Amino acid sequence: MKFKVDADTCIGCELCVEICPDVFAMSDDGIAEVIVKPVPETLRDAALQAEAECPVVAISHV
């Protein structure tokens, strides 16, 4: 499963990093980014939780 962060939508709240730090990190410009592609099955549920809890719906998956 692959995840992506819409940089134009992300507000840099870091919630995704708190929920799933093995998949999401903050870039130097303060925007979340995916650091593991594709996301391993063992991290899928946490990444999906981060997607669901993103307050601005900046995370999506394929």
Side-chain angles (χ1 to χ4, degrees):
M1 183 173 280
K2 293 182 182 179
F3 285 80
K4 69 177 185 174
V5 175
D6 182 342
D8 293 330
T9 304
C10 179
I11 59 171
C13 72
E14 299 188 34
L15 183 59
C16 58
V17 177
E18 291 176 24
I19 293 171
C20 191
D22 293 326
V23 174
F24 301 99
M26 299 305 291
S27 66
D28 291 338
D29 59 357
I31 300 298
E33 62 185 357
V34 179
I35 56 173
V36 176
K37 297 178 186 177
V39 173
E41 186 68 27
T42 56
L43 299 173
R44 185 180 71 98
D45 288 344
L48 286 169
Q49 179 184 355
E51 176 185 13
E53 294 191 28
C54 177
V56 293
V57 193
I59 302 170
S60 60
H61 72 276
V62 203

